Amino acid sequence: MKSWNDILNQEKEKPYFKTLQNFVDNEYEKGICYPQKKDIFNALKSTPVDKVKVVILGQDPYINKNQAHGLAFSVLNGILPPSLKNIYKEIESDLGIKMPNDNGNLTKWAEQGVLLLNTVLTVRAGESNSHAKRGWEFFTDSIIKYLGESNTPKVFVLWGKNAQNKERLISNKKHLILKAAHPSPLSAYNGFFGCKHFSKINAFLRENGMKEIDWRI
């Protein structure tokens, strides 16, 4: 099995990655971008490729100070963004687990095998999607495709249209694909609330002889 470094080194040789690297370096030099440079690949560092059991796809990092730290939907500080609040509400409704109001750091999930991957890994402060369509999508597609071809059963969690567009990359029928509306307040009532994805993930892991995720923070 490849390591994340193998995949990264392979992608680094491609022309798009060199262009992307120059763009990102320039953006971080001339202004404020998130997450901190050291945290850009945090999702991969926190969940080694051979430990991935669940993939939750996000879009791009949070745009405000002290929030983004390289894990999709996760925040460093104590203020919960609206999407994460709704994720916590669904966990409470689905599993009866009381979630914290002041801790949005999802590192504990990542360490249990939940890859919290944004499809774009950097962003300009205050400007959502400012680093979209610059090359990150090629890189994260290569990760999703590699995991999607794996023979080890995994759960792919696709919330919202952006994430659901990646379903085409998941080719092995052994995997479970869960789809729902995005947890954003704009769409959560269109099918995110009540999706029961967290209990479905654990049921699938249990059926396949894997340890369930402890969703408590």
Side-chain angles (χ1 to χ4, degrees):
M1 179 179 273
K2 290 181 183 176
S3 70
W4 291 134
N5 271 341
D6 294 333
I7 294 172
L8 184 56
N9 290 335
Q10 197 175 306
E11 294 301 305
K12 273 181 177 174
E13 295 307 310
K14 297 178 181 177
Y16 88 83
F17 200 94
K18 290 166 186 175
T19 306
L20 169 64
Q21 207 160 24
N22 289 336
F23 168 75
V24 170
D25 286 345
N26 187 44
E27 286 282 291
Y28 274 77
E29 275 168 30
K30 72 180 188 188
I32 298 168
C33 295
Y34 300 124
Q36 287 185 50
K37 247 187 169 180
K38 67 178 178 64
D39 290 335
I40 290 174
F41 296 104
N42 217 9
L44 306 183
K45 290 176 193 166
S46 303
T47 314
V49 67
D50 59 333
K51 304 290 186 208
V52 176
K53 298 192 279 192
V54 181
V55 181
I56 297 180
L57 290 182
Q59 200 157 334
D60 66 342
Y62 292 119
I63 57 172
N64 297 320
K65 191 177 178 184
N66 295 329
Q67 290 192 326
H69 64 118
L71 303 180
F73 296 106
S74 181
V75 286
L76 274 175
N77 70 359
I79 298 167
L80 301 187
S83 291
L84 185 54
K85 273 186 190 169
N86 286 340
I87 290 169
Y88 278 9
K89 281 180 191 172
E90 178 57 24
I91 290 173
E92 196 165 332
S93 160
D94 185 13
L95 299 171
I97 297 170
K98 182 77 178 161
M99 300 302 282
N101 295 319
D102 58 353
N103 183 358
N105 190 326
L106 308 181
T107 301
K108 191 181 168 199
W109 295 359
E111 288 170 347
Q112 295 177 77
V114 181
L115 180 64
L116 296 161
L117 183 69
N118 280 317
T119 54
V120 173
L121 299 188
T122 57
V123 75
R124 206 177 294 142
E127 293 182 53
S128 292
N129 288 319
S130 47
H131 289 184
K133 297 182 178 158
R134 293 289 187 162
W136 278 128
E137 294 89 345
F138 292 120
F139 177 66
T140 53
D141 277 4
S142 72
I143 289 171
I144 298 162
K145 187 170 185 290
Y146 179 73
L147 294 172
E149 290 169 349
S150 163
N151 268 322
T152 307
K154 298 176 188 3
V155 186
F156 288 83
V157 181
L158 311 179
W159 293 329
K161 287 199 175 92
N162 183 63
Q164 286 162 22
N165 286 338
K166 305 299 180 182
E167 186 176 0
R168 63 190 162 76
L169 302 167
I170 305 160
S171 55
N172 197 317
K173 302 299 180 199
K174 288 184 176 182
H175 305 311
L176 174 65
I177 298 173
L178 296 175
K179 295 186 281 188
H182 194 276
S184 152
L186 298 172
S187 55
Y189 286 96
N190 294 331
F192 176 75
F193 288 134
C195 70
K196 299 195 177 298
H197 279 181
F198 300 95
S199 58
K200 287 174 182 174
I201 289 167
N202 279 351
F204 180 83
L205 295 177
R206 202 163 53 241
E207 284 159 18
N208 285 278
M210 288 180 271
K211 193 175 179 186
E212 297 176 27
I213 306 299
D214 177 1
W215 297 106
R216 290 173 298 181
I217 296 297

